[in-house]
Amino acid sequence: MQVYGISGVAQGTTYSIKYYSERELIKQQSIDSIFNVIDQSMSLYKAHSAINTFNKPTVLSMELDAHMLRVVEASFHYNKLTQGYFDITLYPLLQLWGFGPQGFGKLPLDHQIDSVKKLIGIDKIHLNGKVLTKQQSHVSIDLNGIAQGYTVDVVADYLTRSGLQSFLVEVGGEIYAKGLKSDNSAYKIEIQRPPGDQALNYKVMLKDMAITTSGSYEKYRTVNGQHYSHHMDPFKGDPVLNNVLSVTVIARTAMEADALDNYLMYLNPQEALSFVEKLPQVEAYIIYSENNTLKELQSSGFNNYIYNIQS
């Protein structure tokens, strides 16, 4: 059994795949083709992508391709699960605050926020079969909060259908691990920590599970000394301001972990853990600031995944 690797650039980030096999089974061209198809569906940076077509004011409804359909269906589910905080209609708000492809201009005024808030809310779109419809011409969607995790799952599914029993897929830090390595050990993943955090990094052992991390330090704007995160409050219309620095989620799929790590950034650490404890096969690890000190909390089962080098 040999280890094979593939790496490249896609979706504005890097990706890597490691798999164990008797022979080379996966070609980079096949992986890049998967990324290209998904980007043509859901990338806001591809001018002629399906999502950009839907976001045009002149388009009020559109039949979705298979990839976009699955992600939009999941988005409705996670919107309900998170009491409306996970919301794909936030795109106009993200643009207003400078987190869209157009970049940052200046801080929005209150009347601009109030105007854009009228376009926000999952009730502004409706899915009937494969057809997605919007209520108003300027309603637009952003699937970035879940599409990258979905991409990891699609690649993992392709590798499984190709006959692989042991592999690791990573796209922009979002990871899915299947099976065991050739020495029968689990894949070990180092958890991302906020910049400047001097604590030792945890490593977790993964088998047939996904792990993702979301942090307030990933995408932000600093204006007049104020730190503005890309995590938007759909109800208030402005960036979330709290003491949570990063959330790491372990779940059955990368799409599930991706959606949940975003939502947990909205909650205070105790609320976040209470939410996670009610979900099957989901664990979370949270780093937050309190009295200028970094602290951490983890869900009850998270410790089962931590790799102890002395064990």
Side-chain angles (χ1 to χ4, degrees):
M1 193 74 73
Q2 291 182 270
V3 60
Y4 294 89
I6 298 173
S7 61
V9 176
Q11 297 187 339
T13 185
T14 59
Y15 74 83
S16 65
I17 296 168
K18 181 167 74 173
Y19 67 91
Y20 288 89
S21 176
E22 298 291 348
R23 59 188 177 87
E24 186 179 22
L25 290 177
I26 307 299
K27 300 295 184 182
Q28 180 154 5
Q29 183 178 0
S30 299
I31 301 301
D32 288 340
S33 177
I34 292 173
F35 282 112
N36 184 57
V37 169
I38 293 176
D39 280 352
Q40 290 300 329
S41 173
M42 295 180 284
S43 173
L44 292 168
Y45 293 86
K46 297 281 187 181
H48 302 293
S49 66
I51 191 171
N52 277 328
T53 297
F54 178 78
N55 284 345
K56 292 179 180 178
T58 54
V59 176
L60 293 180
S61 67
M62 188 177 79
E63 183 172 326
L64 305 182
D65 61 75
H67 289 301
M68 195 168 168
L69 178 62
R70 292 190 199 104
V71 172
V72 169
E73 286 176 333
S75 297
F76 276 93
H77 165 72
Y78 289 114
N79 179 269
K80 184 176 180 180
L81 183 67
T82 63
Q83 293 81 49
Y85 278 95
F86 183 89
D87 194 331
I88 61 174
T89 68
L90 279 173
Y91 188 43
L93 200 57
L94 287 164
Q95 287 181 299
L96 184 66
W97 282 90
F99 292 103
Q102 292 77 23
F104 181 68
K106 56 184 179 180
L107 290 180
L109 302 174
D110 289 344
H111 74 88
Q112 293 175 304
I113 296 172
D114 291 339
S115 178
V116 167
K117 279 170 62 178
K118 297 174 183 176
L119 304 172
I120 309 302
I122 207 76
D123 60 321
K124 304 297 189 298
I125 57 175
H126 177 69
L127 184 64
N128 184 14
K130 297 180 180 180
V131 177
L132 185 64
T133 303
K134 53 191 176 187
Q135 284 189 357
Q136 303 174 50
S137 61
H138 289 285
V139 169
S140 54
I141 62 174
D142 177 354
L143 300 172
N144 287 335
I146 193 172
Q148 199 164 85
Y150 171 78
T151 301
V152 171
D153 294 334
V154 171
V155 173
D157 181 62
Y158 171 74
L159 298 179
T160 299
R161 288 187 287 106
S162 298
L164 295 176
Q165 301 297 316
S166 173
F167 59 77
L168 185 80
V169 178
E170 180 265 330
V171 181
E174 304 189 356
I175 295 169
Y176 181 84
K178 180 178 176 66
L180 298 173
K181 296 191 289 186
S182 58
D183 60 0
N184 286 324
S185 66
Y187 287 93
K188 299 173 186 67
I189 313 299
E190 189 169 272
I191 292 178
Q192 297 173 252
R193 301 184 75 92
D197 185 353
Q198 300 301 314
L200 292 176
N201 287 359
Y202 278 132
K203 287 186 178 180
V204 297
M205 299 177 292
L206 285 191
K207 177 179 179 291
D208 303 331
M209 297 292 279
I211 186 168
T212 66
T213 297
S214 183
S216 60
Y217 51 84
E218 294 176 321
K219 298 176 187 176
Y220 61 89
R221 303 275 182 257
T222 301
V223 181
N224 297 328
Q226 177 63 58
H227 185 93
Y228 295 96
S229 167
H230 73 291
H231 293 96
M232 291 286 155
D233 187 320
F235 304 106
K236 295 180 180 178
D238 51 21
V240 176
L241 294 175
N242 62 17
N243 63 342
V244 177
L245 299 177
S246 71
V247 173
T248 297
V249 173
I250 295 175
R252 292 164 292 188
T253 68
M255 182 164 67
E256 180 178 31
D258 201 7
L260 294 177
D261 69 21
N262 281 287
Y263 172 54
L264 298 181
M265 290 292 299
Y266 292 104
L267 307 178
N268 72 50
Q270 290 74 23
E271 288 176 335
L273 290 190
S274 296
F275 174 81
V276 167
E277 297 293 1
K278 300 172 185 175
L279 302 176
Q281 290 184 267
V282 175
E283 303 296 340
Y285 169 70
I286 300 169
I287 299 175
Y288 63 102
S289 175
E290 188 173 272
N291 298 324
N292 295 319
T293 302
L294 291 187
K295 296 188 175 183
E296 56 188 58
L297 284 175
Q298 61 188 47
S299 57
S300 58
F302 190 86
N303 201 57
N304 296 331
Y305 291 93
I306 294 178
Y307 172 65
N308 184 347
I309 198 168
Q310 295 178 333
S311 62

